[in-house]
Amino acid sequence: MTRSRPPFTRILAITALFAAVAVPLVGAAQAEPPVSAAATVKVMPLGDSITDGLTVAGGYRIELWQKIVAGGHSVDFVGSMSNGPSNLGDRDHEGHSGWTIAQIDSNVVNWLTTYSPQTVLLHIGTNDMIGGNASGAPARLSTLIDHITAKSPDTAVFVSTIIPLPSADSAVRTFNAAIPAIVQGKVAAGKKVHLVDMYSALTGSDLADGVHPNAGGYAKMATRWYNALLAVPGSIGNGGDPTTTTTTTTTTTTTTTTVPPVPGGCAATPRVVNTWSGGYQAEVTVKNNGTAALTGWTVRMTLAGGQSISSIWGGTATGASGAVSVKNAPYNGSPGGGATTTFGFVASGAGSPGVTDLSCSTP
């Protein structure tokens, strides 16, 4: 069935930056309740035409679905809308072309009541940058998140910064710069809210029409979403099986040997995600260099003189200026062998953006 769209919204339809340094940036919220590998998790892709997939039917949902299935997870995409190609195994979503934050907010409680998602992927705000009151968008986003968490307090809400919009780049950067503090405030209040940086995942060359991603851009979005979901246990179930090898002898005797985990240290890699006059946002990727899961990590780093951290997510900081140490959040302290996780922060002050003297240690 063809959905009618006002002429303006045919052109502007998009969904909800901020740091996800090198991988998606996930806010420091509580760990989600354990979910068995066999349990099916309801996931609601929520936003505007970028979620819908205006230029590529199915949008980021195509490759995200494929990554989830390949990872051994069981999910059910939910929502009142449905579209996409045959290689998208579940086409349901709540991506509404041309909609603003306020329009999503006016309907979200009903959708949550109807579909009861355990995970929400929120990318919204593009249309606010183009045709609405951009300066009030952060407050509207905060209210929307409050309504979601009040209605569904056990739902994991992944809040994304919006992708680049060259025609309104200044407004987008200002909006995205406000999102980390919004998310951190929800986390501090005990809400299960996580920050995902989508802005840094794409560039203008990843856009099909200056607003919506092309196929390559959507693939980058899918990767960013998937990495964020993996960083929060339970958000898409617990896929994957222990690594085992089976050897059959000539006497038809079969033995199963579990590969022993190899302990290893961790490494920290910084990245500046966004800058503005008097401040910047950065993300640090923590990698497990061994094959056994970590039991916690601590990153030590040094900020330039005169700079201080004003907000942080994905970890707990000791100190705010000079030499700072950051310990893992409850939900991201145990990445598996070879896996990565991230934390991000906003710093203010003069000088070159970025940190030096990074080191990573485990208990």
Side-chain angles (χ1 to χ4, degrees):
M1 180 176 67
T2 301
R3 278 172 266 151
S4 63
R5 300 175 180 146
F8 179 69
T9 59
R10 290 178 187 154
I11 299 175
L12 313 174
I14 315 181
T15 327
L17 141 122
F18 217 76
V21 205
V23 197
L25 165 58
V26 181
Q30 303 171 8
E32 308 308 326
V35 178
S36 69
T40 297
V41 178
K42 292 182 178 181
V43 176
M44 176 179 285
L46 177 62
D48 49 34
S49 57
I50 293 177
T51 296
D52 173 81
L54 189 65
T55 50
V56 178
Y60 70 74
R61 294 176 286 115
I62 302 170
E63 187 159 331
L64 177 58
W65 172 266
Q66 294 170 352
K67 288 178 179 293
I68 288 171
V69 172
H73 306 277
S74 178
V75 303
D76 176 17
F77 282 173
V78 298
S80 62
M81 311 292 283
S82 181
N83 76 320
S86 59
N87 59 341
L88 173 55
D90 190 335
R91 304 175 187 178
D92 298 332
H93 65 94
E94 286 294 357
H96 298 265
S97 292
W99 282 33
T100 63
I101 297 170
Q103 288 172 301
I104 294 294
D105 192 22
S106 295
N107 293 270
V108 73
V109 170
N110 288 335
W111 295 330
L112 295 172
T113 301
T114 301
Y115 301 105
S116 302
Q118 292 149 287
T119 297
V120 168
L121 307 180
L122 178 62
H123 181 278
I124 190 67
T126 302
N127 291 300
D128 296 75
M129 303 298 102
I130 300 172
N133 174 16
S135 63
R140 293 193 295 274
L141 178 64
S142 179
T143 299
L144 169 58
I145 297 170
D146 285 342
H147 289 160
I148 294 173
T149 57
K151 175 61 182 176
S152 302
D154 293 325
T155 294
V157 183
F158 291 79
V159 179
S160 169
T161 58
I162 61 175
I163 64 174
L165 181 63
S167 64
D169 184 62
S170 178
V172 170
R173 286 176 177 270
T174 299
F175 175 62
N176 283 340
I179 296 177
I182 293 173
V183 170
Q184 184 63 23
K186 310 306 179 188
V187 171
K191 309 299 182 183
K192 297 176 179 178
V193 182
H194 309 272
L195 178 64
V196 181
D197 172 31
M198 207 59 76
Y199 180 87
S200 67
L202 282 72
T203 66
S205 64
D206 295 310
L207 304 178
D209 57 4
V211 177
H212 306 90
N214 53 31
Y218 275 126
K220 292 178 180 179
M221 290 187 71
T223 298
R224 192 56 63 93
W225 280 128
Y226 185 61
N227 288 337
L229 290 164
L230 289 180
V232 180
S235 61
I236 50 172
N238 300 318
D241 297 313
T243 303
T244 60
T245 58
T246 301
T247 304
T248 304
T249 70
T250 55
T251 60
T252 69
T253 300
T254 301
T255 59
T256 300
T257 304
T258 300
V259 178
V262 178
C266 58
T269 304
R271 180 173 71 96
V272 175
V273 177
N274 193 19
T275 63
W276 54 89
S277 178
Y280 65 93
Q281 175 194 350
E283 181 180 83
V284 177
T285 298
V286 177
K287 181 178 181 180
N288 180 353
N289 288 331
T291 61
L294 298 180
T295 57
W297 49 262
T298 300
V299 171
R300 292 174 175 81
M301 59 189 185
T302 301
L303 277 71
Q307 295 180 356
S308 62
I309 293 176
S310 56
S311 65
I312 188 168
W313 52 94
T316 302
T318 299
S321 60
V324 176
S325 64
V326 180
K327 184 176 175 56
N328 62 273
Y331 73 88
N332 66 354
S334 303
T340 62
T341 188
T342 63
F343 70 88
F345 63 90
V346 172
S348 59
S352 299
V355 293
T356 59
D357 302 327
L358 262 80
S359 65
C360 184
S361 60
T362 60

mmCIF file of all heavy atoms in Angstrom, residues 103-138:
data_model
loop_
_atom_site.group_PDB
_atom_site.id
_atom_site.type_symbol
_atom_site.label_atom_id
_atom_site.label_comp_id
_atom_site.label_asym_id
_atom_site.label_seq_id
_atom_site.Cartn_x
_atom_site.Cartn_y
_atom_site.Cartn_z
ATOM 1 N N GLN A 103 6.484 14.742 16.636
ATOM 2 C CA GLN A 103 5.516 13.814 16.056
ATOM 3 C C GLN A 103 5.742 12.389 16.557
ATOM 4 O O GLN A 103 4.787 11.663 16.844
ATOM 5 C CB GLN A 103 5.592 13.871 14.528
ATOM 6 C CG GLN A 103 5.022 15.151 13.937
ATOM 7 C CD GLN A 103 5.296 15.268 12.454
ATOM 8 O OE1 GLN A 103 6.437 15.272 12.005
ATOM 9 N NE2 GLN A 103 4.223 15.363 11.672
ATOM 10 N N ILE A 104 6.991 11.987 16.652
ATOM 11 C CA ILE A 104 7.295 10.668 17.221
ATOM 12 C C ILE A 104 6.830 10.616 18.675
ATOM 13 O O ILE A 104 6.218 9.643 19.127
ATOM 14 C CB ILE A 104 8.805 10.376 17.137
ATOM 15 C CG1 ILE A 104 9.249 10.246 15.680
ATOM 16 C CG2 ILE A 104 9.162 9.116 17.925
ATOM 17 C CD1 ILE A 104 8.685 9.060 14.942
ATOM 18 N N ASP A 105 7.083 11.697 19.409
ATOM 19 C CA ASP A 105 6.717 11.760 20.823
ATOM 20 C C ASP A 105 5.207 11.622 21.023
ATOM 21 O O ASP A 105 4.747 11.013 21.992
ATOM 22 C CB ASP A 105 7.217 13.074 21.421
ATOM 23 C CG ASP A 105 7.138 13.107 22.932
ATOM 24 O OD1 ASP A 105 7.108 12.022 23.555
ATOM 25 O OD2 ASP A 105 7.106 14.211 23.501
ATOM 26 N N SER A 106 4.434 12.176 20.110
ATOM 27 C CA SER A 106 2.978 12.139 20.246
ATOM 28 C C SER A 106 2.408 10.731 20.083
ATOM 29 O O SER A 106 1.269 10.475 20.501
ATOM 30 C CB SER A 106 2.328 13.059 19.202
ATOM 31 O OG SER A 106 2.675 14.406 19.435
ATOM 32 N N ASN A 107 3.183 9.836 19.503
ATOM 33 C CA ASN A 107 2.675 8.492 19.216
ATOM 34 C C ASN A 107 3.410 7.377 19.938
ATOM 35 O O ASN A 107 2.954 6.234 19.940
ATOM 36 C CB ASN A 107 2.757 8.225 17.712
ATOM 37 C CG ASN A 107 1.813 9.085 16.906
ATOM 38 O OD1 ASN A 107 0.669 8.715 16.657
ATOM 39 N ND2 ASN A 107 2.283 10.254 16.480
ATOM 40 N N VAL A 108 4.548 7.695 20.536
ATOM 41 C CA VAL A 108 5.428 6.631 21.005
ATOM 42 C C VAL A 108 4.828 5.781 22.116
ATOM 43 O O VAL A 108 5.041 4.560 22.166
ATOM 44 C CB VAL A 108 6.799 7.215 21.436
ATOM 45 C CG1 VAL A 108 6.686 7.984 22.757
ATOM 46 C CG2 VAL A 108 7.839 6.120 21.529
ATOM 47 N N VAL A 109 4.053 6.383 23.012
ATOM 48 C CA VAL A 109 3.475 5.599 24.111
ATOM 49 C C VAL A 109 2.520 4.533 23.572
ATOM 50 O O VAL A 109 2.514 3.391 24.038
ATOM 51 C CB VAL A 109 2.763 6.518 25.124
ATOM 52 C CG1 VAL A 109 1.962 5.695 26.134
ATOM 53 C CG2 VAL A 109 3.788 7.384 25.858
ATOM 54 N N ASN A 110 1.737 4.883 22.579
ATOM 55 C CA ASN A 110 0.836 3.898 21.978
ATOM 56 C C ASN A 110 1.612 2.765 21.326
ATOM 57 O O ASN A 110 1.230 1.589 21.433
ATOM 58 C CB ASN A 110 -0.062 4.571 20.937
ATOM 59 C CG ASN A 110 -1.113 5.462 21.562
ATOM 60 O OD1 ASN A 110 -1.502 5.275 22.716
ATOM 61 N ND2 ASN A 110 -1.590 6.447 20.815
ATOM 62 N N TRP A 111 2.695 3.099 20.638
ATOM 63 C CA TRP A 111 3.500 2.053 20.007
ATOM 64 C C TRP A 111 4.141 1.142 21.046
ATOM 65 O O TRP A 111 4.176 -0.080 20.865
ATOM 66 C CB TRP A 111 4.590 2.685 19.140
ATOM 67 C CG TRP A 111 4.080 3.459 17.974
ATOM 68 C CD1 TRP A 111 2.930 3.227 17.268
ATOM 69 C CD2 TRP A 111 4.700 4.603 17.376
ATOM 70 N NE1 TRP A 111 2.802 4.155 16.263
ATOM 71 C CE2 TRP A 111 3.871 5.013 16.299
ATOM 72 C CE3 TRP A 111 5.864 5.315 17.625
ATOM 73 C CZ2 TRP A 111 4.187 6.099 15.488
ATOM 74 C CZ3 TRP A 111 6.175 6.404 16.819
ATOM 75 C CH2 TRP A 111 5.347 6.783 15.764
ATOM 76 N N LEU A 112 4.630 1.722 22.122
ATOM 77 C CA LEU A 112 5.234 0.909 23.174
ATOM 78 C C LEU A 112 4.207 -0.018 23.813
ATOM 79 O O LEU A 112 4.504 -1.167 24.148
ATOM 80 C CB LEU A 112 5.864 1.815 24.241
ATOM 81 C CG LEU A 112 7.044 2.681 23.789
ATOM 82 C CD1 LEU A 112 7.431 3.662 24.883
ATOM 83 C CD2 LEU A 112 8.242 1.811 23.404
ATOM 84 N N THR A 113 2.998 0.492 23.980
ATOM 85 C CA THR A 113 1.923 -0.323 24.546
ATOM 86 C C THR A 113 1.581 -1.488 23.626
ATOM 87 O O THR A 113 1.388 -2.626 24.075
ATOM 88 C CB THR A 113 0.667 0.531 24.773
ATOM 89 O OG1 THR A 113 0.979 1.598 25.665
ATOM 90 C CG2 THR A 113 -0.468 -0.299 25.349
ATOM 91 N N THR A 114 1.529 -1.222 22.349
ATOM 92 C CA THR A 114 1.134 -2.240 21.381
ATOM 93 C C THR A 114 2.202 -3.303 21.178
ATOM 94 O O THR A 114 1.892 -4.506 21.111
ATOM 95 C CB THR A 114 0.809 -1.588 20.031
ATOM 96 O OG1 THR A 114 -0.251 -0.643 20.201
ATOM 97 C CG2 THR A 114 0.389 -2.632 18.991
ATOM 98 N N TYR A 115 3.457 -2.909 21.090
ATOM 99 C CA TYR A 115 4.510 -3.838 20.671
ATOM 100 C C TYR A 115 5.477 -4.265 21.770
ATOM 101 O O TYR A 115 6.219 -5.226 21.589
ATOM 102 C CB TYR A 115 5.295 -3.227 19.503
ATOM 103 C CG TYR A 115 4.415 -2.934 18.317
ATOM 104 C CD1 TYR A 115 4.034 -1.623 18.009
ATOM 105 C CD2 TYR A 115 3.927 -3.961 17.516
ATOM 106 C CE1 TYR A 115 3.209 -1.344 16.924
ATOM 107 C CE2 TYR A 115 3.096 -3.698 16.437
ATOM 108 C CZ TYR A 115 2.736 -2.382 16.148
ATOM 109 O OH TYR A 115 1.909 -2.122 15.083
ATOM 110 N N SER A 116 5.501 -3.587 22.893
ATOM 111 C CA SER A 116 6.340 -3.952 24.054
ATOM 112 C C SER A 116 7.781 -4.302 23.680
ATOM 113 O O SER A 116 8.277 -5.395 23.990
ATOM 114 C CB SER A 116 5.710 -5.136 24.789
ATOM 115 O OG SER A 116 4.409 -4.835 25.212
ATOM 116 N N PRO A 117 8.505 -3.410 23.016
ATOM 117 C CA PRO A 117 9.891 -3.728 22.650
ATOM 118 C C PRO A 117 10.786 -3.801 23.878
ATOM 119 O O PRO A 117 10.582 -3.087 24.853
ATOM 120 C CB PRO A 117 10.287 -2.558 21.755
ATOM 121 C CG PRO A 117 9.460 -1.413 22.258
ATOM 122 C CD PRO A 117 8.137 -2.031 22.623
ATOM 123 N N GLN A 118 11.773 -4.664 23.810
ATOM 124 C CA GLN A 118 12.785 -4.737 24.865
ATOM 125 C C GLN A 118 13.990 -3.868 24.536
ATOM 126 O O GLN A 118 14.791 -3.543 25.408
ATOM 127 C CB GLN A 118 13.217 -6.194 25.052
ATOM 128 C CG GLN A 118 12.119 -7.078 25.622
ATOM 129 C CD GLN A 118 12.220 -8.504 25.128
ATOM 130 O OE1 GLN A 118 11.922 -8.793 23.967
ATOM 131 N NE2 GLN A 118 12.641 -9.419 25.989
ATOM 132 N N THR A 119 14.119 -3.485 23.253
ATOM 133 C CA THR A 119 15.198 -2.630 22.795
ATOM 134 C C THR A 119 14.633 -1.639 21.787
ATOM 135 O O THR A 119 13.843 -2.023 20.918
ATOM 136 C CB THR A 119 16.318 -3.464 22.135
ATOM 137 O OG1 THR A 119 16.877 -4.341 23.111
ATOM 138 C CG2 THR A 119 17.413 -2.566 21.579
ATOM 139 N N VAL A 120 15.036 -0.363 21.901
ATOM 140 C CA VAL A 120 14.616 0.670 20.958
ATOM 141 C C VAL A 120 15.853 1.305 20.344
ATOM 142 O O VAL A 120 16.803 1.651 21.066
ATOM 143 C CB VAL A 120 13.758 1.754 21.650
ATOM 144 C CG1 VAL A 120 13.567 2.965 20.732
ATOM 145 C CG2 VAL A 120 12.409 1.188 22.057
ATOM 146 N N LEU A 121 15.848 1.433 19.018
ATOM 147 C CA LEU A 121 16.929 2.111 18.298
ATOM 148 C C LEU A 121 16.390 3.440 17.796
ATOM 149 O O LEU A 121 15.602 3.486 16.847
ATOM 150 C CB LEU A 121 17.400 1.260 17.117
ATOM 151 C CG LEU A 121 17.799 -0.191 17.431
ATOM 152 C CD1 LEU A 121 18.243 -0.904 16.160
ATOM 153 C CD2 LEU A 121 18.895 -0.239 18.495
ATOM 154 N N LEU A 122 16.788 4.539 18.431
ATOM 155 C CA LEU A 122 16.217 5.851 18.161
ATOM 156 C C LEU A 122 17.183 6.745 17.383
ATOM 157 O O LEU A 122 18.243 7.106 17.891
ATOM 158 C CB LEU A 122 15.825 6.531 19.475
ATOM 159 C CG LEU A 122 15.244 7.951 19.374
ATOM 160 C CD1 LEU A 122 13.934 7.950 18.583
ATOM 161 C CD2 LEU A 122 15.019 8.524 20.779
ATOM 162 N N HIS A 123 16.796 7.092 16.161
ATOM 163 C CA HIS A 123 17.560 8.049 15.357
ATOM 164 C C HIS A 123 16.553 9.077 14.842
ATOM 165 O O HIS A 123 15.794 8.818 13.922
ATOM 166 C CB HIS A 123 18.248 7.338 14.199
ATOM 167 C CG HIS A 123 19.068 8.249 13.326
ATOM 168 N ND1 HIS A 123 18.524 9.009 12.321
ATOM 169 C CD2 HIS A 123 20.403 8.521 13.312
ATOM 170 C CE1 HIS A 123 19.476 9.709 11.720
ATOM 171 N NE2 HIS A 123 20.635 9.439 12.304
ATOM 172 N N ILE A 124 16.514 10.249 15.457
ATOM 173 C CA ILE A 124 15.483 11.230 15.139
ATOM 174 C C ILE A 124 16.034 12.646 15.321
ATOM 175 O O ILE A 124 16.872 12.865 16.201
ATOM 176 C CB ILE A 124 14.223 11.028 16.018
ATOM 177 C CG1 ILE A 124 13.053 11.898 15.530
ATOM 178 C CG2 ILE A 124 14.553 11.281 17.475
ATOM 179 C CD1 ILE A 124 12.512 11.505 14.187
ATOM 180 N N GLY A 125 15.537 13.572 14.495
ATOM 181 C CA GLY A 125 15.938 14.963 14.650
ATOM 182 C C GLY A 125 16.305 15.647 13.350
ATOM 183 O O GLY A 125 16.432 16.875 13.304
ATOM 184 N N THR A 126 16.464 14.890 12.268
ATOM 185 C CA THR A 126 16.881 15.494 10.997
ATOM 186 C C THR A 126 15.859 16.504 10.499
ATOM 187 O O THR A 126 16.207 17.600 10.062
ATOM 188 C CB THR A 126 17.102 14.411 9.934
ATOM 189 O OG1 THR A 126 18.091 13.502 10.414
ATOM 190 C CG2 THR A 126 17.573 15.023 8.633
ATOM 191 N N ASN A 127 14.594 16.146 10.558
ATOM 192 C CA ASN A 127 13.565 17.056 10.060
ATOM 193 C C ASN A 127 13.428 18.300 10.941
ATOM 194 O O ASN A 127 13.021 19.355 10.463
ATOM 195 C CB ASN A 127 12.225 16.327 9.953
ATOM 196 C CG ASN A 127 12.260 15.286 8.841
ATOM 197 O OD1 ASN A 127 12.475 15.600 7.689
ATOM 198 N ND2 ASN A 127 12.078 14.032 9.214
ATOM 199 N N ASP A 128 13.791 18.182 12.210
ATOM 200 C CA ASP A 128 13.808 19.352 13.091
ATOM 201 C C ASP A 128 14.882 20.334 12.653
ATOM 202 O O ASP A 128 14.734 21.544 12.804
ATOM 203 C CB ASP A 128 14.064 18.932 14.536
ATOM 204 C CG ASP A 128 12.957 18.072 15.095
ATOM 205 O OD1 ASP A 128 12.881 16.879 14.724
ATOM 206 O OD2 ASP A 128 12.155 18.581 15.887
ATOM 207 N N MET A 129 15.991 19.797 12.102
ATOM 208 C CA MET A 129 17.086 20.655 11.655
ATOM 209 C C MET A 129 16.697 21.425 10.395
ATOM 210 O O MET A 129 17.132 22.554 10.181
ATOM 211 C CB MET A 129 18.336 19.822 11.357
ATOM 212 C CG MET A 129 18.852 18.971 12.503
ATOM 213 S SD MET A 129 19.377 19.923 13.941
ATOM 214 C CE MET A 129 17.952 19.672 15.037
ATOM 215 N N ILE A 130 15.840 20.822 9.570
ATOM 216 C CA ILE A 130 15.529 21.405 8.272
ATOM 217 C C ILE A 130 14.322 22.338 8.326
ATOM 218 O O ILE A 130 14.357 23.460 7.844
ATOM 219 C CB ILE A 130 15.260 20.304 7.238
ATOM 220 C CG1 ILE A 130 16.492 19.415 7.097
ATOM 221 C CG2 ILE A 130 14.882 20.905 5.896
ATOM 222 C CD1 ILE A 130 16.271 18.197 6.259
ATOM 223 N N GLY A 131 13.253 21.848 8.910
ATOM 224 C CA GLY A 131 12.023 22.625 8.811
ATOM 225 C C GLY A 131 11.386 22.986 10.121
ATOM 226 O O GLY A 131 10.248 23.478 10.161
ATOM 227 N N GLY A 132 12.078 22.751 11.220
ATOM 228 C CA GLY A 132 11.469 23.020 12.519
ATOM 229 C C GLY A 132 12.313 23.949 13.360
ATOM 230 O O GLY A 132 13.209 24.632 12.865
ATOM 231 N N ASN A 133 12.028 23.971 14.634
ATOM 232 C CA ASN A 133 12.761 24.787 15.590
ATOM 233 C C ASN A 133 13.983 24.015 16.062
ATOM 234 O O ASN A 133 13.934 23.283 17.042
ATOM 235 C CB ASN A 133 11.838 25.130 16.762
ATOM 236 C CG ASN A 133 12.575 25.855 17.879
ATOM 237 O OD1 ASN A 133 13.676 26.363 17.680
ATOM 238 N ND2 ASN A 133 11.965 25.891 19.054
ATOM 239 N N ALA A 134 15.096 24.168 15.358
ATOM 240 C CA ALA A 134 16.290 23.388 15.664
ATOM 241 C C ALA A 134 16.811 23.663 17.067
ATOM 242 O O ALA A 134 17.306 22.763 17.746
ATOM 243 C CB ALA A 134 17.374 23.665 14.629
ATOM 244 N N SER A 135 16.717 24.907 17.527
ATOM 245 C CA SER A 135 17.271 25.256 18.834
ATOM 246 C C SER A 135 16.559 24.542 19.974
ATOM 247 O O SER A 135 17.145 24.299 21.034
ATOM 248 C CB SER A 135 17.211 26.766 19.054
ATOM 249 O OG SER A 135 15.865 27.221 19.074
ATOM 250 N N GLY A 136 15.297 24.183 19.782
ATOM 251 C CA GLY A 136 14.557 23.485 20.828
ATOM 252 C C GLY A 136 14.601 21.976 20.713
ATOM 253 O O GLY A 136 14.018 21.269 21.538
ATOM 254 N N ALA A 137 15.326 21.467 19.699
ATOM 255 C CA ALA A 137 15.353 20.022 19.464
ATOM 256 C C ALA A 137 15.946 19.222 20.624
ATOM 257 O O ALA A 137 15.425 18.155 20.964
ATOM 258 C CB ALA A 137 16.103 19.725 18.169
ATOM 259 N N PRO A 138 17.038 19.669 21.259
ATOM 260 C CA PRO A 138 17.562 18.882 22.381
ATOM 261 C C PRO A 138 16.543 18.696 23.503
ATOM 262 O O PRO A 138 16.413 17.598 24.058
ATOM 263 C CB PRO A 138 18.768 19.702 22.848
ATOM 264 C CG PRO A 138 19.221 20.430 21.632
ATOM 265 C CD PRO A 138 17.949 20.792 20.917
#
